[in-house]
Amino acid sequence: MKHIPLSLKSPKALKAATGVMQAYGKTVALSIILAGQLSLCLPMQTFAQPQVLHLQKATDALSVRQLWVENKTAPTGIATQHPRLSWASSSGGQNVMQTAYEIRLATSQADVQKGKKLYWKTGKVNSGSSRHVLYEGPTLKSAEKYYWQVRIWDNQGHQSAWSQPASFLTGFLSKTDWKAQWIEPGYTEDPQLRPSPLMRKDFVLHKKIKSARAFITAHGLYEAFINGKKIGKGFLTPGWTSYNKRLQYQSYDVTNLIQGGKNAIGVRLGNGWYRGYLAWGDTHNIYGKTLGLLFQLEITYTDGSKSTILSDGSWKSTTGEIRYAEIYNGETIDHRMTQKGWMLPGYQDQDWTPVKTVRAGYDNLVTTENELVEKHETFRPLKVITTPKGEKVLDFGQNLVGWVVVHLKGNAGDTIKIFHAEVLDKAGNFYTTNLRKAKAEDQYILSGKGQETFEPHFTWHGFRYIKVEGIDGPLNPEDFTAVALYSNMAQTGHFSSSDSLINQLQHNIEWGLRGNFLDVPTDCPQRDERLGWTGDAEVFSRTASFLRGVNSFFDKWMRDVAADQLPSGSVPHVVPNVLGDGASGSAGWADVATIVPWNMYLAYGDKKILDVQYPSMKAWVDYISSVSQDHLWNTGNHFGDWLFYHPDDDNDGSAAVTDKYLIAQCFYAHSTQLLIKAARVLGKTNDEKTYTELLQKIKKAFQREYLTASGRLVSGTQTAYVLALNFDMLPENLRAQAAKRLVDNIHRYGDHITTGFLGTPFISHVLTRFGYSDVAYQLLLQKTYPSWLYPVKMGATTIWERWDGIKPDGSFENPGMNSFNHYAYGAIGDWMYRKMVGLDTYEDGVGYKHSKIQPYIGGGFSAADASLDTYFGRLSNSWKLSADQLTMEVEIPVNTTATVYVPTTDPSSVKLGGQILENINGQAPQILDAPGTGGKFVKLNLGSGHYSFTSTFAVPTKKTAAK
């Protein structure tokens, strides 16, 4: 036994000791010593894992450590009278559940911390809710910053201290708050180059400033400055939405940029998605022909008075150093044309042209719902290369998305050109053919005035390599820095394993997300496309929800899916829709309308996205029904199992071509099933009944059309069996044989995967579900084409669009469609996190309120671990296998529960904290089979805390790893 003396001289200390005793229940023996000391007598094995026990004061043992408003940290632009407040807690104990909370809110940080001049306080509320608690206080004011704190109580008698204050800034809560006018450049534009406009305004302040808030949007892209300093950290603002229906504005606290006396506002505009060249051909000016600005600055003085600086006819306009900027083609910057000091007060702008005011209105304006695109990682060149053609090339070592910052020195008029590429060809030369018509070229013209720095503003590139022209002599790698750009979503998930190739695959999955989550989920970031393809986003959405906090990102984008949904209910191939109404309705692509909202609900426990998107979900299912015959969806054009493996010889009857209408019927059923689930969550009982009856008819139609009496599908492909099994299209008595047919197909292809975009996300899950985890591991570890590790072995640092973008001989696939940064096949990450390591959520406790921790051991791995930062705190599991000894470390967040499955080949060997299991929380552990692993699971129901398990796990003698 271990004796720990604790002082009992204060009620708090006694409370802390009581909490420790409650946490350890009957294992704690207690004796009181007269000198005011208490000794806790704990079994020695309790200390095998010190993190299990933290003896702290009551106020320290329970704490609130992170706060969110509308799923964001310290957001700006909150435009609802009832924002939702969330928080995560921590505790050193086990089985800790929140039982009550108290929130207080004020308009200053000092007031909220002192608990004075409170705008709102809840008092103690007896509730376990810690996610999406509605603000129910007095009416919020527009352009106001609020500060709030929360404290909680738990089921062990502890009360936390008040959290650190968090803040949120409201946007415009009414359209009538807008007073600014839309303004456009007043000069005559060069119709070919269309240089970026500059706009400016001087103003003078005569009072002491308390606060200043700026509200900005544009037709086109904008960068805004006050007194020469950039407003905010965002780039490519206001982002991309279905502009004619939803144009986002950004809200900024600019108090620190404003000064007493003279001030100046400067804004530069770019074509961007608004009127730039998009998609293919000569498509441009999709949303409008002229760039414009809407700018409103709200200033509050210390005496309580206010003033407003607006975009109006008093502003001036001209052009500057950005002579050309297009997303696909790049940017031309001529420093000889720089308007030096134009962002600063007192600049002489008498030669500038007055702007034009236009009536563009405010009806389509919405606040920013997602995180802005920001700068992130930077890279220095790893290699300076002279190619066989004599080109000067720099290798940054990572295929990334963003641009290169360049430091140059030379004569006035010297022109430096930078070209971007993802790969070199087999001879080692710079390769851009796969960019198609995208020039991806930045051109910099020097002023000759000493050291000069260049970087783009209104374009971006997907690249690992750059080719530099115009510099005499060798390149200095110190002059070049690559900067990664992507939406500023918090990283939430972490994964690693004992296999270095799998770790590189995980790296590639992560960088596939970073490179393609630039305000919308793009298919690829480098060629003349970069569109919000719905199918790509749909298949990757669950994986993305582990890696990053993507709920606000998808919430914003899914509103555009609904906005661009056709009156018929059909959903476009790309959103925002720049391809026209005819490009819509493909199975697996249009099903984004149902799949992404449900995946976000599962991952984050947020009913709001289901509520907001439900009409869109329903309209999509109803559309399918309207074009189906006898509940069979066998009409329309579909992409099918896009980019599936094409075998050289299909004479054996196992070709990988899957009937597109079979696929469509499976997704018809899946979307209907998700609509049923959403209706159940939202309490729409009539819809739940109606669509449940419809689902039965859809499945019967599938079985009539595509299934033989013996259980064979008309398409004998991996994708056909994967979708039929994953979406429960087959009668239960025929599912096991169908899974066997799937495995036989895999073996016929030499233990290789043959699925495309629609089959790949589900194949490993289906194999595990039906007892073939060993085969799932075979596919994961396969190193030859087609496989996930083939690109890794070929040097990939992101996920490829094709299984064989680069062939074994170094040649390339068809350059018409051969992106080397295309995240769809990265959906295998979902299986790695939810099955290999075993972090999942139950539907009775979505968002990891009730977690499922069930790892499947195999593949010759000796270790794997993953963690996920949830809205409750960190959920994690790691397992290590040494000889026949398995160690498993689990962390369960406060205010949640988990059902844990400990793998073992000898259930009697399982120990928790060094003790043989007898019962946990009054329940005897269950023993379940773990097919495909050669072992079993011991099932336990646990509350929050850290847990250390050991068990015997004898690896099967049969070799299961791929060749």
Side-chain angles (χ1 to χ4, degrees):
M1 302 295 283
K2 176 86 170 179
H3 291 264
I4 301 176
L6 294 177
S7 172
L8 292 184
K9 293 183 179 179
S10 73
K12 288 184 177 179
L14 179 59
K15 198 172 187 180
T18 303
V20 173
M21 290 184 287
Q22 289 173 338
Y24 286 90
K26 296 179 181 178
T27 67
V28 178
L30 160 74
S31 62
I32 297 178
I33 301 174
L34 292 177
Q37 298 284 330
L38 171 142
S39 179
L40 293 182
C41 303
L42 302 175
M44 285 300 296
Q45 52 263 42
T46 301
F47 294 89
Q49 295 295 325
Q51 70 270 27
V52 171
L53 180 62
H54 295 281
L55 299 179
Q56 300 170 319
K57 294 180 181 178
T59 52
D60 294 331
L62 182 69
S63 63
V64 180
R65 62 175 186 81
Q66 191 166 4
L67 280 65
W68 298 272
V69 178
E70 287 298 324
N71 303 318
K72 290 172 280 189
T73 303
T76 60
I78 295 297
T80 172
Q81 284 291 348
H82 301 284
R84 297 169 302 154
L85 312 178
S86 305
W87 55 90
S89 306
S90 62
S91 171
Q94 292 182 338
N95 302 311
V96 177
M97 299 293 286
Q98 176 187 302
T99 58
Y101 67 81
E102 182 176 10
I103 299 171
R104 62 188 186 189
L105 180 145
T107 55
S108 81
Q109 183 169 333
D111 286 344
V112 78
Q113 286 181 293
K114 294 175 182 177
K116 297 180 178 179
K117 299 180 183 178
L118 295 177
Y119 197 74
W120 177 56
K121 60 179 179 180
T122 62
K124 184 177 180 181
V125 178
N126 293 320
S127 170
S129 296
S130 62
R131 284 184 306 187
H132 308 131
V133 175
L134 283 179
Y135 167 80
E136 298 284 10
T139 301
L140 298 174
K141 301 175 183 179
S142 294
E144 183 69 74
K145 197 167 190 177
Y146 294 92
Y147 298 84
W148 67 289
Q149 290 178 295
V150 62
R151 63 179 176 180
I152 64 172
W153 289 259
D154 70 16
N155 58 334
Q156 299 178 11
H158 297 144
Q159 172 188 314
S160 77
W162 285 102
S163 68
Q164 289 296 311
S167 68
F168 63 93
L169 173 66
T170 54
F172 285 156
L173 295 164
S174 170
K175 299 290 186 187
T176 60
D177 290 323
W178 283 104
K179 309 299 181 186
Q181 295 177 282
W182 278 98
I183 58 175
E184 297 178 350
Y187 57 82
T188 301
E189 184 178 59
D190 178 339
Q192 299 301 317
L193 295 178
R194 302 195 296 182
S196 288
L198 305 180
M199 295 180 174
R200 72 178 310 276
K201 162 84 174 177
D202 281 324
F203 62 98
V204 180
L205 302 178
H206 299 290
K207 296 182 179 182
K208 189 174 181 180
I209 302 155
K210 178 183 178 183
S211 66
R213 327 289 191 204
F215 303 89
I216 315 172
T217 190
H219 292 152
L221 303 179
Y222 75 84
E223 284 186 327
F225 305 84
I226 292 178
N227 298 327
K229 297 180 180 179
K230 181 178 169 65
I231 298 176
K233 297 180 180 179
F235 291 86
L236 308 178
T237 47
W240 191 13
T241 50
S242 302
Y243 291 133
N244 53 335
K245 303 160 189 170
R246 290 170 21 86
L247 173 59
Q248 292 193 147
Y249 69 89
Q250 282 75 49
S251 306
Y252 304 95
D253 186 339
V254 295
T255 306
N256 293 336
L257 302 183
I258 299 290
Q259 60 194 21
K262 295 180 179 180
N263 292 268
I265 302 167
V267 181
R268 62 165 61 105
L269 302 178
N271 296 332
W273 300 282
Y274 184 79
R275 70 167 190 177
Y277 288 83
L278 289 177
W280 310 284
D282 191 36
T283 306
H284 63 292
N285 297 338
I286 293 175
Y287 299 100
K289 295 181 179 180
T290 308
L291 301 182
L293 172 69
L294 189 67
F295 186 105
Q296 187 159 326
L297 179 63
E298 302 276 347
I299 301 170
T300 302
Y301 301 103
T302 54
D303 65 3
S305 61
K306 297 185 178 184
S307 64
T308 307
I309 309 299
L310 308 173
S311 52
D312 57 21
S314 66
W315 288 53
K316 295 288 194 71
S317 63
T318 191
T319 61
E321 68 269 28
I322 303 178
R323 308 310 300 167
Y324 176 88
E326 290 288 350
I327 291 173
Y328 295 163
N329 294 334
E331 197 159 310
T332 298
I333 299 177
D334 186 345
H335 271 184
R336 299 171 302 176
M337 305 290 287
T338 298
Q339 304 280 350
K340 186 176 181 180
W342 72 276
M343 304 175 188
L344 301 175
Y347 175 79
Q348 299 301 305
D349 60 9
Q350 61 270 18
D351 294 332
W352 288 37
T353 306
V355 299
K356 296 185 296 187
T357 60
V358 295
R359 293 177 177 270
Y362 316 120
D363 288 344
N364 64 333
L365 297 185
V366 295
T367 192
T368 300
E369 292 142 348
N370 60 323
E371 297 82 0
L372 300 182
V373 173
E374 294 186 14
K375 290 182 175 180
H376 294 278
E377 297 85 357
T378 59
F379 298 83
R380 292 287 191 175
L382 297 183
K383 295 179 183 178
V384 180
I385 301 168
T386 301
T387 70
K389 290 183 178 180
E391 305 154 318
K392 297 176 181 179
V393 172
L394 297 176
D395 175 7
F396 290 97
Q398 172 63 50
N399 193 10
L400 68 126
V401 173
W403 56 56
V404 176
V405 179
V406 187
H407 303 290
L408 300 171
K409 192 173 183 179
N411 299 318
D414 285 353
T415 300
I416 310 302
K417 296 181 180 181
I418 296 180
F419 303 85
H420 302 76
E422 296 183 288
V423 292
L424 304 179
D425 67 17
K426 63 187 299 183
N429 290 309
F430 199 70
Y431 180 80
T432 58
T433 307
N434 70 315
L435 304 186
R436 302 190 305 213
K437 292 185 178 180
K439 293 181 180 179
E441 172 191 344
D442 294 328
Q443 191 171 173
Y444 301 137
I445 303 170
L446 278 66
S447 67
K449 298 177 181 178
Q451 186 81 6
E452 303 180 49
T453 300
F454 292 86
E455 66 176 308
H457 302 266
F458 300 124
T459 189
W460 74 87
H461 308 288
F463 65 99
R464 172 175 171 171
Y465 303 90
I466 62 170
K467 180 177 67 173
V468 182
E469 294 181 353
I471 294 180
D472 295 331
L475 301 180
N476 179 7
E478 296 301 314
D479 292 338
F480 301 84
T481 302
V483 181
L485 290 176
Y486 51 87
S487 292
N488 190 36
M489 307 158 293
Q491 183 171 2
T492 52
H494 303 268
F495 168 90
S496 64
S497 76
S498 56
D499 189 303
S500 61
L501 292 179
I502 295 299
N503 293 342
Q504 182 63 44
L505 174 63
Q506 168 67 12
H507 171 97
N508 296 0
I509 294 169
E510 290 178 344
W511 277 93
L513 181 152
R514 296 178 204 187
N516 284 290
F517 276 46
L518 273 79
D519 206 66
V520 299
T522 58
D523 59 324
C524 61
Q526 72 294 94
R527 67 188 180 212
D528 58 342
E529 195 161 354
R530 315 185 200 189
L531 306 177
W533 281 94
T534 50
D536 304 55
E538 172 262 300
V539 301
F540 190 69
S541 58
R542 190 70 191 271
T543 302
S545 71
F546 175 87
L547 298 173
R548 296 267 165 176
V550 297
N551 43 340
S552 295
F553 179 91
F554 274 117
D555 178 57
K556 170 256 186 182
W557 186 66
M558 289 306 300
R559 291 171 189 258
D560 286 297
V561 169
D564 277 349
Q565 193 166 7
L566 276 58
S568 65
S570 186
V571 176
H573 300 334
V574 301
V575 173
N577 184 15
V578 295
L579 301 182
D581 290 353
S584 66
S586 178
W589 272 251
D591 295 279
V592 71
T594 57
I595 293 172
V596 167
W598 184 254
N599 280 347
M600 295 305 102
Y601 172 66
L602 287 179
Y604 301 108
D606 189 350
K607 287 171 60 175
K608 184 177 179 180
I609 192 169
L610 289 183
D611 193 29
V612 170
Q613 296 299 135
Y614 187 82
S616 170
M617 299 172 73
K618 186 175 179 179
W620 167 239
V621 172
D622 288 347
Y623 167 79
I624 304 174
S625 297
S626 72
V627 296
S628 297
Q629 301 174 13
D630 296 326
H631 307 292
L632 192 67
W633 189 16
N634 57 2
T635 60
N637 296 315
H638 303 276
F639 293 114
D641 194 27
W642 189 250
L643 296 184
F644 61 90
Y645 167 65
H646 289 265
D648 294 330
D649 183 1
D650 61 359
N651 290 331
D652 65 353
S654 59
V657 181
T658 308
D659 186 292
K660 291 182 179 180
Y661 291 140
L662 181 153
I663 293 172
Q665 191 71 4
C666 289
F667 277 93
Y668 184 14
H670 186 44
S671 277
T672 304
Q673 178 66 78
L674 295 182
L675 183 63
I676 294 166
K677 290 184 175 184
R680 185 177 304 130
V681 170
L682 298 174
K684 299 179 182 293
T685 54
N686 289 338
D687 279 358
E688 182 183 355
K689 179 181 178 182
T690 298
Y691 290 99
T692 298
E693 294 172 355
L694 173 63
L695 181 60
Q696 295 171 352
K697 296 173 182 177
I698 293 169
K699 291 184 177 182
K700 287 181 180 178
F702 175 90
Q703 294 164 15
R704 279 197 314 269
E705 187 77 4
Y706 301 113
L707 182 67
T708 69
S710 63
R712 182 171 60 86
L713 293 174
V714 297
S715 287
T717 64
Q718 292 177 21
T719 290
Y721 283 104
V722 164
L723 296 182
L725 288 167
N726 196 69
F727 300 150
D728 295 331
M729 305 299 290
L730 308 179
E732 285 194 35
N733 66 313
L734 293 179
R735 293 176 187 175
Q737 63 83 33
K740 179 63 166 56
R741 291 177 191 270
L742 168 62
V743 171
D744 290 343
N745 183 291
I746 292 170
H747 291 328
R748 276 202 303 274
Y749 279 101
D751 299 333
H752 286 84
I753 192 169
T754 65
T755 54
F757 277 27
L758 297 185
T760 298
F762 306 112
I763 187 169
S764 298
H765 286 284
V766 166
L767 289 169
T768 300
R769 173 185 170 186
F770 287 95
Y772 296 100
S773 295
D774 52 344
V775 180
Y777 271 110
Q778 285 181 311
L779 291 181
L780 177 67
L781 293 170
Q782 181 62 258
K783 297 177 180 66
T784 56
Y785 162 76
S787 69
W788 285 286
L789 292 185
Y790 170 75
V792 172
K793 294 284 286 184
M794 295 295 287
T797 62
T798 44
I799 299 296
W800 292 354
E801 180 177 21
R802 294 179 177 271
W803 291 117
D804 63 340
I806 303 176
K807 297 181 179 181
D809 65 0
S811 62
F812 296 114
E813 258 285 5
N814 181 355
M817 191 170 296
N818 197 22
S819 161
F820 294 99
N821 193 351
H822 214 102
Y823 52 61
Y825 288 140
I828 182 58
D830 182 52
W831 182 85
M832 290 157 55
Y833 319 139
R834 291 205 285 145
K835 298 302 179 184
M836 183 176 175
V837 181
L839 296 184
D840 204 351
T841 186
Y842 284 100
E843 291 188 15
D844 69 356
V846 291
Y848 305 91
K849 177 69 172 174
H850 178 198
S851 296
K852 179 181 184 180
I853 303 177
Q854 185 175 18
Y856 285 80
I857 312 296
F861 285 83
S862 60
D865 67 83
S867 65
L868 177 65
D869 292 328
T870 74
Y871 276 125
F872 301 99
R874 177 157 292 192
L875 174 73
S876 67
N877 182 38
S878 66
W879 56 262
K880 294 181 181 179
L881 190 60
S882 179
D884 289 348
Q885 180 77 10
L886 177 69
T887 301
M888 183 168 145
E889 304 285 345
V890 172
E891 180 180 5
I892 303 168
V894 169
N895 209 26
T896 72
T897 61
T899 301
V900 179
Y901 298 76
V902 182
T904 183
T905 47
D906 178 8
S908 66
S909 71
V910 177
K911 296 180 181 180
L912 170 58
Q915 290 184 308
I916 294 292
L917 293 176
E918 292 182 0
N919 65 74
I920 298 293
N921 296 333
Q923 297 181 5
Q926 292 180 262
I927 299 173
L928 306 171
D929 288 331
T933 69
K936 295 181 179 296
F937 290 115
V938 172
K939 179 183 175 183
L940 310 164
N941 295 312
L942 300 173
S944 68
H946 294 73
Y947 299 89
S948 179
F949 296 95
T950 57
S951 72
T952 298
F953 191 93
V955 178
T957 56
K958 177 184 176 182
K959 185 177 180 181
T960 58
K963 299 177 182 178

